[in-house]
Amino acid sequence: DIQMTQSPSSLSASVGDRVTITCRASQDISNYLAWFQQKPGKAPKSLIYAASSLQSGVPSKFSGSGSGTDFTLTISSLQPEDFATYYCQQYSSYPRTFGQGTKVEIK
Amino acid sequence: EVQVVESGGGLVKPGGSLRLSCAASGFTFSSYSMSWVRQAPGKGLEWVSSISSRSDYIYYADSVKGRFTISRDNAKNSLYLQMNSLRAEDTAVYYCARAKVDSSGYSNFDYWGQGSLVTVSS
Protein backbone atom coordinates (compact mmCIF):
# COMPACT_ATOMS: atom_id res chain seq x y z
CA ASP A 1 0.00 0.00 0.00
CA ILE A 2 1.15 3.58 -0.65
CA GLN A 3 1.62 5.58 2.55
CA MET A 4 0.81 9.30 2.44
CA THR A 5 2.48 11.49 5.05
CA GLN A 6 1.47 15.11 5.60
CA SER A 7 3.39 17.76 7.45
CA PRO A 8 2.80 19.53 9.65
CA SER A 9 -0.05 17.76 11.47
CA SER A 10 -1.30 21.16 12.61
CA LEU A 11 -0.36 24.79 12.23
CA SER A 12 -1.45 28.14 13.57
CA ALA A 13 -1.64 31.05 11.17
CA SER A 14 -3.11 34.53 10.93
CA VAL A 15 -5.55 35.95 8.42
CA GLY A 16 -3.57 37.05 5.38
CA ASP A 17 -0.73 34.57 5.90
CA ARG A 18 0.60 32.36 3.12
CA VAL A 19 0.32 28.73 4.21
CA THR A 20 2.02 25.67 2.74
CA ILE A 21 1.21 22.05 3.55
CA THR A 22 3.41 19.18 2.40
CA CYS A 23 2.40 15.65 1.41
CA ARG A 24 4.86 12.85 0.73
CA ALA A 25 4.06 9.51 -0.89
CA SER A 26 5.96 6.34 0.00
CA GLN A 27 6.46 5.61 -3.71
CA ASP A 28 6.14 7.38 -7.07
CA ILE A 29 2.51 8.32 -7.76
CA SER A 30 3.22 10.58 -10.77
CA ASN A 31 0.67 13.41 -10.40
CA TYR A 32 -2.26 11.29 -9.17
CA LEU A 33 -2.71 13.39 -6.08
CA ALA A 34 -5.78 15.20 -4.77
CA TRP A 35 -6.34 17.69 -1.94
CA PHE A 36 -9.49 18.04 0.15
CA GLN A 37 -10.72 20.56 2.71
CA GLN A 38 -12.92 19.48 5.60
CA LYS A 39 -14.64 21.72 8.14
CA PRO A 40 -15.97 20.33 11.44
CA GLY A 41 -19.14 18.30 11.00
CA LYS A 42 -19.06 18.68 7.23
CA ALA A 43 -18.19 16.45 4.27
CA PRO A 44 -14.80 16.81 2.61
CA LYS A 45 -14.67 19.22 -0.31
CA SER A 46 -12.45 18.58 -3.31
CA LEU A 47 -9.97 21.38 -3.97
CA ILE A 48 -7.32 20.06 -6.33
CA TYR A 49 -6.78 17.00 -8.52
CA ALA A 50 -3.87 15.87 -10.71
CA ALA A 51 -1.60 17.59 -8.17
CA SER A 52 -2.18 21.09 -9.52
CA SER A 53 -5.58 21.34 -11.26
CA LEU A 54 -8.28 23.30 -9.45
CA GLN A 55 -11.70 21.72 -9.16
CA SER A 56 -14.48 23.81 -10.67
CA GLY A 57 -15.51 26.67 -8.40
CA VAL A 58 -12.44 26.54 -6.16
CA PRO A 59 -10.83 29.97 -5.69
CA SER A 60 -7.40 30.59 -7.17
CA LYS A 61 -5.89 31.34 -3.75
CA PHE A 62 -5.49 27.55 -3.55
CA SER A 63 -2.69 26.03 -5.58
CA GLY A 64 -0.98 22.67 -5.73
CA SER A 65 2.34 21.49 -7.04
CA GLY A 66 4.61 18.48 -7.15
CA SER A 67 5.09 15.19 -8.89
CA GLY A 68 6.48 11.80 -8.04
CA THR A 69 6.61 11.61 -4.25
CA ASP A 70 6.58 15.22 -3.00
CA PHE A 71 3.62 17.57 -3.19
CA THR A 72 2.49 20.87 -1.69
CA LEU A 73 -0.79 22.71 -1.16
CA THR A 74 -0.48 26.48 -0.81
CA ILE A 75 -3.10 28.96 0.35
CA SER A 76 -1.88 32.34 -0.82
CA SER A 77 -3.72 34.56 1.66
CA LEU A 78 -5.51 32.79 4.49
CA GLN A 79 -9.08 33.91 5.12
CA PRO A 80 -11.39 33.05 8.04
CA GLU A 81 -13.28 30.50 5.92
CA ASP A 82 -10.04 28.61 5.20
CA PHE A 83 -9.55 27.40 8.76
CA ALA A 84 -10.17 23.68 8.39
CA THR A 85 -8.43 20.32 8.10
CA TYR A 86 -6.74 19.50 4.79
CA TYR A 87 -6.11 16.00 3.44
CA CYS A 88 -4.05 14.73 0.53
CA GLN A 89 -4.98 11.48 -1.21
CA GLN A 90 -3.31 9.35 -3.86
CA TYR A 91 -5.32 7.77 -6.67
CA SER A 92 -2.44 6.10 -8.46
CA SER A 93 -3.41 2.64 -7.22
CA TYR A 94 -5.72 0.71 -4.91
CA PRO A 95 -6.13 0.88 -2.01
CA ARG A 96 -6.69 4.61 -2.24
CA THR A 97 -4.92 6.21 0.70
CA PHE A 98 -5.16 9.54 2.49
CA GLY A 99 -2.69 11.55 4.49
CA GLN A 100 -3.43 11.91 8.19
CA GLY A 101 -4.61 15.51 7.77
CA THR A 102 -3.29 18.97 8.57
CA LYS A 103 -5.39 21.14 10.86
CA VAL A 104 -5.09 24.85 10.10
CA GLU A 105 -6.02 26.92 13.15
CA ILE A 106 -6.30 30.61 13.90
CA LYS A 107 -3.29 32.17 15.63
CA GLU B 1 -26.73 20.41 -9.45
CA VAL B 2 -24.79 17.29 -8.55
CA GLN B 3 -26.08 15.66 -5.37
CA VAL B 4 -25.31 12.43 -3.56
CA VAL B 5 -27.33 11.67 -0.44
CA GLU B 6 -26.55 8.81 1.92
CA SER B 7 -29.08 7.00 4.09
CA GLY B 8 -29.41 3.84 6.15
CA GLY B 9 -27.02 4.52 9.01
CA GLY B 10 -27.86 3.84 12.63
CA LEU B 11 -27.01 1.87 15.75
CA VAL B 12 -26.25 -1.84 15.32
CA LYS B 13 -24.85 -4.49 17.66
CA PRO B 14 -21.47 -6.12 17.02
CA GLY B 15 -21.89 -8.94 14.53
CA GLY B 16 -24.95 -7.29 13.03
CA SER B 17 -25.65 -6.03 9.52
CA LEU B 18 -26.61 -2.75 7.92
CA ARG B 19 -27.16 -1.55 4.37
CA LEU B 20 -26.24 1.98 3.34
CA SER B 21 -27.73 3.64 0.29
CA CYS B 22 -26.58 6.63 -1.73
CA ALA B 23 -29.06 8.38 -4.02
CA ALA B 24 -27.49 10.34 -6.87
CA SER B 25 -28.97 13.15 -8.91
CA GLY B 26 -27.91 15.98 -11.20
CA PHE B 27 -25.56 13.86 -13.33
CA THR B 28 -25.53 10.72 -15.49
CA PHE B 29 -24.97 8.22 -12.69
CA SER B 30 -24.28 5.31 -15.05
CA SER B 31 -21.21 7.11 -16.45
CA TYR B 32 -19.31 7.45 -13.17
CA SER B 33 -17.42 5.21 -10.81
CA MET B 34 -18.52 5.59 -7.21
CA SER B 35 -16.87 5.00 -3.85
CA TRP B 36 -17.44 4.80 -0.11
CA VAL B 37 -15.08 6.57 2.28
CA ARG B 38 -15.44 6.52 6.05
CA GLN B 39 -14.28 8.61 8.98
CA ALA B 40 -14.18 7.29 12.53
CA PRO B 41 -15.01 9.84 15.25
CA GLY B 42 -12.14 12.33 15.58
CA LYS B 43 -10.04 10.48 13.00
CA GLY B 44 -8.96 10.91 9.39
CA LEU B 45 -10.46 9.68 6.14
CA GLU B 46 -10.30 6.00 5.16
CA TRP B 47 -11.22 4.68 1.72
CA VAL B 48 -13.57 1.66 1.97
CA SER B 49 -14.61 0.50 -1.49
CA SER B 50 -15.03 1.53 -5.13
CA ILE B 51 -17.15 0.29 -8.02
CA SER B 52 -16.82 1.10 -11.72
CA SER B 53 -19.67 2.54 -13.77
CA ARG B 54 -20.85 -0.84 -15.04
CA SER B 55 -19.89 -2.79 -11.90
CA ASP B 56 -17.16 -4.67 -13.75
CA TYR B 57 -14.39 -3.48 -11.43
CA ILE B 58 -14.81 -3.59 -7.64
CA TYR B 59 -12.20 -2.90 -4.98
CA TYR B 60 -12.20 -3.14 -1.17
CA ALA B 61 -9.97 -2.07 1.67
CA ASP B 62 -8.42 -5.04 3.46
CA SER B 63 -10.19 -3.93 6.65
CA VAL B 64 -13.63 -4.67 5.15
CA LYS B 65 -12.90 -7.35 2.55
CA GLY B 66 -15.16 -10.38 2.99
CA ARG B 67 -17.58 -8.45 5.22
CA PHE B 68 -18.75 -5.52 3.08
CA THR B 69 -20.25 -5.63 -0.42
CA ILE B 70 -20.55 -2.62 -2.72
CA SER B 71 -23.15 -2.60 -5.47
CA ARG B 72 -25.08 -0.20 -7.64
CA ASP B 73 -28.34 0.03 -9.57
CA ASN B 74 -27.88 2.38 -12.51
CA ALA B 75 -31.59 2.28 -13.31
CA LYS B 76 -32.30 3.69 -9.84
CA ASN B 77 -29.28 6.04 -9.71
CA SER B 78 -28.25 4.39 -6.49
CA LEU B 79 -25.14 3.06 -4.79
CA TYR B 80 -25.19 0.60 -1.90
CA LEU B 81 -22.91 -0.77 0.80
CA GLN B 82 -23.99 -3.99 2.49
CA MET B 83 -22.12 -4.28 5.77
CA ASN B 84 -22.08 -7.63 7.59
CA SER B 85 -20.26 -8.91 10.68
CA LEU B 86 -19.93 -5.36 11.93
CA ARG B 87 -17.30 -4.54 14.54
CA ALA B 88 -16.86 -1.65 16.93
CA GLU B 89 -14.01 -0.36 14.75
CA ASP B 90 -16.48 0.06 11.85
CA THR B 91 -18.11 2.92 13.76
CA ALA B 92 -17.77 5.93 11.49
CA VAL B 93 -19.47 8.43 9.24
CA TYR B 94 -19.72 6.81 5.82
CA TYR B 95 -19.47 9.10 2.80
CA CYS B 96 -20.55 8.35 -0.74
CA ALA B 97 -18.25 9.99 -3.31
CA ARG B 98 -18.43 10.39 -7.07
CA ALA B 99 -15.23 9.63 -8.97
CA LYS B 100 -14.47 11.82 -11.96
CA VAL B 101 -12.08 10.60 -14.64
CA ASP B 102 -9.53 13.28 -15.47
CA SER B 103 -7.45 13.67 -18.62
CA SER B 104 -5.05 10.99 -17.40
CA GLY B 105 -7.81 8.38 -17.36
CA TYR B 106 -7.57 8.02 -13.61
CA SER B 107 -10.53 8.87 -11.36
CA ASN B 108 -10.54 11.22 -8.39
CA PHE B 109 -13.30 12.07 -5.89
CA ASP B 110 -15.02 15.30 -6.90
CA TYR B 111 -18.39 15.29 -5.13
CA TRP B 112 -19.16 13.91 -1.66
CA GLY B 113 -22.41 13.33 0.20
CA GLN B 114 -23.08 14.66 3.70
CA GLY B 115 -22.42 11.28 5.28
CA SER B 116 -24.34 8.66 7.26
CA LEU B 117 -23.32 7.69 10.79
CA VAL B 118 -22.94 4.02 11.60
CA THR B 119 -22.47 3.14 15.28
CA VAL B 120 -21.57 -0.41 16.25
CA SER B 121 -22.12 -0.92 19.95
CA SER B 122 -23.80 -3.34 22.32
Side-chain angles (χ1 to χ4, degrees), chain B residues 23-44:
Chain B
S25 60
F27 64 101
T28 305
F29 181 72
S30 59
S31 296
Y32 288 84
S33 294
M34 299 293 295
S35 295
W36 291 98
V37 177
R38 68 184 180 183
Q39 187 169 37
K43 303 296 184 183

Side-chain angles (χ1 to χ4, degrees), chain A residues 45-85:
Chain A
K45 174 187 175 183
S46 176
L47 298 176
I48 285 171
Y49 66 97
S52 60
S53 297
L54 247 54
Q55 286 285 8
S56 176
V58 173
S60 58
K61 63 181 171 181
F62 293 98
S63 63
S65 65
S67 183
T69 60
D70 293 313
F71 303 87
T72 59
L73 172 70
T74 299
I75 309 171
S76 60
S77 177
L78 205 63
Q79 296 303 304
E81 63 271 19
D82 302 328
F83 291 94
T85 299

Side-chain angles (χ1 to χ4, degrees), chain B residues 34-113:
Chain B
M34 299 293 295
S35 295
W36 291 98
V37 177
R38 68 184 180 183
Q39 187 169 37
K43 303 296 184 183
L45 300 170
E46 179 189 15
W47 170 80
V48 173
S49 183
S50 295
I51 186 169
S52 60
S53 59
R54 294 181 295 180
S55 304
D56 42 2
Y57 295 99
I58 289 176
Y59 305 92
Y60 296 101
D62 285 347
S63 58
V64 306
K65 201 173 293 182
R67 301 187 299 123
F68 289 12
T69 302
I70 192 172
S71 62
R72 64 190 295 161
D73 185 336
N74 287 344
K76 294 183 178 179
N77 291 340
S78 293
L79 175 73
Y80 307 102
L81 186 67
Q82 177 67 43
M83 303 183 293
N84 298 331
S85 303
L86 282 161
R87 306 166 179 166
E89 53 265 36
D90 296 318
T91 294
V93 174
Y94 284 73
Y95 295 102
C96 165
R98 188 181 84 164
K100 178 191 78 173
V101 176
D102 62 27
S103 58
S104 69
Y106 283 59
S107 60
N108 63 91
F109 306 140
D110 62 344
Y111 282 94
W112 298 61

